[in-house]
């Protein structure tokens, strides 16, 4: 099922994800729905916060991009396409190396992109959808996608990492986007209340 992707200004985007202690059928279904939603939106990654579920769960697929990536699993180099989509539970960055500037956008911040400084390489520890521990090392687009999605899981947006001049230049458009999001949220809540009182 394709889920609704929430936009900038929605308070859930600022929530830290709850740790997933047990892989239930609901979690497996949510991961499958998030993958479907990510593909439908032509994204390379999606965090649970973006579908209004503040959980430590993200999905990533960089295999369709022209930007190269490198992936090591438990220390062994891997063919990227074989491991996509990646489903990561409770991921955390345990090591970073170097730095890299690149243009970033976000499905929750439509129409806006910015140059963001990230680590060039990251090491991430997580669990897979079976609940087995996973150690990932990545560079290229996969490294950037991991850092972007793990930020989401902690309530951080790529915009928070843009330099001050970029943030200032985007302030007007972000304010407008936030208002649209909050107005839509208010309208939806009103509708829910109306139905609830019938
Ligand atoms: Zn994003």
């Amino acid at each position: 099922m394709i889920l609704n992707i929430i936009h900038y200004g929605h308070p859930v985007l600022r929530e830290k994800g709850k740790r997933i202690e047990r892989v239930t059928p609901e979690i497996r279904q949510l991961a499958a729905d998030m993958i479907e939603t990510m593909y439908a939106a032509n994204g390379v990654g999606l965090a649970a916060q973006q579908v209004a579920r503040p959980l430590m769960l993200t999905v990533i697929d960089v295999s369709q991009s022209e930007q190269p990536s490198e992936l090591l699993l438990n220390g062994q180099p891997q063919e990227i396409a074989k491991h996509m989509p990646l489903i990561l539970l409770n991921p955390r960055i345990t090591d970073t190396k170097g730095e890299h500037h690149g243009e970033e956008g976000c499905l929750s911040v439509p129409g806006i992109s910015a140059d963001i400084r990230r680590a060039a390489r990251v090491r991430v520890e997580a669990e897979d959808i079976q609940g087995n521990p996973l150690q990932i090392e990545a560079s290229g687009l996969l490294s950037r996608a991991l850092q972007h999605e793990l930020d989401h899981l902690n309530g951080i947006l790529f915009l928070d990492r843009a330099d001050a001049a970029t943030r200032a230049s985007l302030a007007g458009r972000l304010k407008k986007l936030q208002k649209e999001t909050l107005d839509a949220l208010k309208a939806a809540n009103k509708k829910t209340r109306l139905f609830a009182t019938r």
Side-chain angles (χ1 to χ4, degrees):
M1 187 173 71
I2 294 175
L3 306 169
N4 186 35
I5 297 176
I6 60 170
H7 285 172
Y8 181 82
H10 195 300
V12 175
L13 288 175
R14 292 307 189 180
E15 279 183 45
K16 190 174 156 65
K18 197 166 162 281
R19 202 185 143 74
I20 297 171
E21 300 295 347
R22 217 161 50 85
V23 184
T24 59
E26 288 74 23
I27 293 291
R28 277 195 288 271
Q29 187 60 50
L30 177 61
D33 288 343
M34 283 170 60
I35 289 168
E36 200 181 333
T37 305
M38 168 178 73
Y39 288 147
N42 292 316
V44 296
L46 193 68
Q49 269 78 353
Q50 294 180 275
V51 292
R53 296 288 304 274
L55 292 168
M56 284 285 175
L57 170 65
T58 183
V59 299
I60 292 175
D61 189 338
V62 293
S63 62
Q64 298 307 308
S65 173
E66 283 169 9
Q67 289 183 59
S69 294
E70 190 190 13
L71 166 68
L72 282 81
L73 273 184
N74 303 317
Q76 299 297 312
Q78 304 289 326
E79 196 183 314
I80 295 280
K82 271 191 186 161
H83 295 278
M84 300 291 138
L86 269 179
I87 304 173
L88 301 177
L89 279 61
N90 306 318
R92 60 237 167 250
I93 291 173
T94 55
D95 198 15
T96 61
K97 264 198 198 95
E99 63 172 64
H100 186 263
H101 280 267
E103 195 76 1
E104 255 176 64
C106 178
L107 294 174
S108 291
V109 194
I112 290 177
S113 62
D115 179 79
I116 306 293
R117 181 166 60 101
R118 298 283 187 185
R121 297 183 67 87
V122 283
R123 183 185 293 156
V124 169
E125 291 184 15
E127 283 115 56
D128 65 15
I129 193 67
Q130 272 83 42
N132 300 317
L134 204 60
Q135 197 210 76
I136 296 173
E137 281 173 71
S139 65
L141 179 61
L142 181 56
S143 169
R144 182 167 291 274
L146 282 164
Q147 292 172 77
H148 180 111
E149 300 311 330
L150 268 63
D151 268 355
H152 271 303
L153 300 184
N154 289 292
I156 299 165
L157 298 175
F158 77 108
L159 299 162
D160 305 341
R161 299 193 184 276
D163 62 40
T166 305
R167 283 207 306 273
S169 74
L170 292 173
R173 288 165 72 192
L174 288 173
K175 208 173 159 189
K176 188 164 170 275
L177 188 55
Q178 179 165 37
K179 187 177 181 309
E180 282 166 14
T181 302
L182 291 175
D183 285 351
L185 203 58
K186 253 185 251 164
N189 284 342
K190 211 168 158 186
K191 218 165 155 187
T192 311
R193 273 202 305 273
L194 244 125
F195 283 121
T197 52
R198 268 181 198 167

